Amino acid sequence: QCSFESLVDQRIKEALSRQEPKTISCTSVTSSGRLASCPAGMVVTGCACGYGCGSWDIRNGNTCHCQCSVMDWASARCCRMV
Amino acid sequence: QCSFESLVDQRIKEALSRQEPKTISCTSVTSSGRLASCPAGMVVTGCACGYGCGSWDIRNGNTCHCQCSVMDWASARCCRMV
Amino acid sequence: QCSFESLVDQRIKEALSRQEPKTISCTSVTSSGRLASCPAGMVVTGCACGYGCGSWDIRNGNTCHCQCSVMDWASARCCRMV
């Protein structure tokens, strides 16, 4: 292989290895009531609810909805790439 | 640095900056009964269950199993890179 | 465009297309009691608890805390990029 191409490939390889590896970062958003939403740019990975309730669903793609009849708080686990 | 290498590095830098940043995408898969599975290529990040149940475990790496004695539905929160 | 630059760009394009796409990998860490922690380098995306409890919060950014008064086990869903 002509040294030119191998030199280019070498520079590319070095640049790729210097790239910061992407990681996942998560946070919790807790609200009173039965709805808790993740901010824009974050996804909901799970939900927690008051009164020991484990029945929830996701509304509008970013909002935890706690389904149990009596509810005092909802919490969304929100994650994104950083 | 000879202009050749700096030019190569500049082209690499531009190519990397043009790369679409990867993000996380999630969806819910809900089934009747006590099992709900994520499709191939997606991972389970959390589970919801009927009857207010918050006790679950993951089977075969991709299936939510709701443990409470009486159960009517299970829901898996499924995520992947896009 | 001078063939030199298009050749460099071509080499870069090939290198980027050879890159292994990053994916998300998750596992569960289950402990007796009311706390379960993800190992370093992993994030908590959701929690499960004993006694059908769906009320949990995250402590120190990596630990599931199951809130219900009586508790026998806690499980953290832990994810990272691979």
Side-chain angles (χ1 to χ4, degrees):
Chain A
Q1 196 191 18
C2 117
S3 70
F4 162 78
E5 278 152 348
S6 58
L7 187 132
V8 169
D9 290 346
Q10 184 55 29
R11 303 298 290 198
I12 295 169
K13 211 170 140 201
E14 281 161 18
L16 293 181
S17 64
R18 277 194 305 266
Q19 273 191 310
E20 279 287 323
K22 295 277 182 191
T23 59
I24 306 173
S25 171
C26 300
T27 189
S28 290
V29 174
T30 304
S31 309
S32 56
R34 65 177 65 250
L35 298 176
S37 298
C38 288
M42 300 193 89
V43 293
V44 185
T45 58
C47 306
C49 304
Y51 286 92
C53 176
S55 298
W56 48 266
D57 57 280
I58 306 291
R59 291 188 171 176
N60 311 321
N62 73 336
T63 299
C64 285
H65 167 241
C66 293
Q67 298 180 355
C68 297
S69 51
V70 180
M71 194 45 55
D72 52 353
W73 61 266
S75 182
R77 190 64 180 163
C78 308
C79 299
R80 64 188 173 114
M81 297 300 300
V82 291
Chain B
Q1 196 190 21
C2 114
S3 69
F4 162 78
E5 278 152 350
S6 59
L7 187 132
V8 170
D9 289 347
Q10 183 55 30
R11 302 298 286 199
I12 294 170
K13 210 170 140 199
E14 282 161 18
L16 294 181
S17 64
R18 278 194 306 267
Q19 274 191 308
E20 279 286 323
K22 294 277 182 190
T23 60
I24 305 173
S25 171
C26 300
T27 188
S28 290
V29 174
T30 303
S31 310
S32 56
R34 64 177 65 250
L35 298 176
S37 298
C38 288
M42 300 192 89
V43 293
V44 184
T45 58
C47 307
C49 304
Y51 287 92
C53 176
S55 297
W56 48 265
D57 57 280
I58 306 291
R59 291 188 171 177
N60 312 320
N62 73 335
T63 299
C64 285
H65 167 241
C66 293
Q67 297 180 356
C68 298
S69 51
V70 180
M71 193 45 53
D72 53 352
W73 60 267
S75 184
R77 191 64 180 162
C78 309
C79 299
R80 63 188 174 117
M81 298 299 300
V82 292
Chain C
Q1 198 189 19
C2 116
S3 69
F4 162 78
E5 278 154 349
S6 59
L7 187 132
V8 170
D9 289 347
Q10 184 54 30
R11 302 297 289 199
I12 294 169
K13 209 170 142 200
E14 282 161 17
L16 293 181
S17 65
R18 278 194 306 266
Q19 275 191 307
E20 279 287 321
K22 294 278 181 188
T23 60
I24 304 172
S25 171
C26 300
T27 188
S28 290
V29 174
T30 304
S31 309
S32 57
R34 65 176 66 249
L35 298 175
S37 299
C38 288
M42 300 192 89
V43 293
V44 184
T45 58
C47 306
C49 304
Y51 286 93
C53 175
S55 297
W56 48 266
D57 57 278
I58 306 291
R59 293 188 171 176
N60 311 320
N62 73 336
T63 299
C64 285
H65 168 241
C66 293
Q67 297 180 355
C68 298
S69 51
V70 180
M71 194 44 55
D72 53 352
W73 60 265
S75 183
R77 190 64 179 163
C78 309
C79 299
R80 64 188 172 117
M81 297 301 298
V82 291

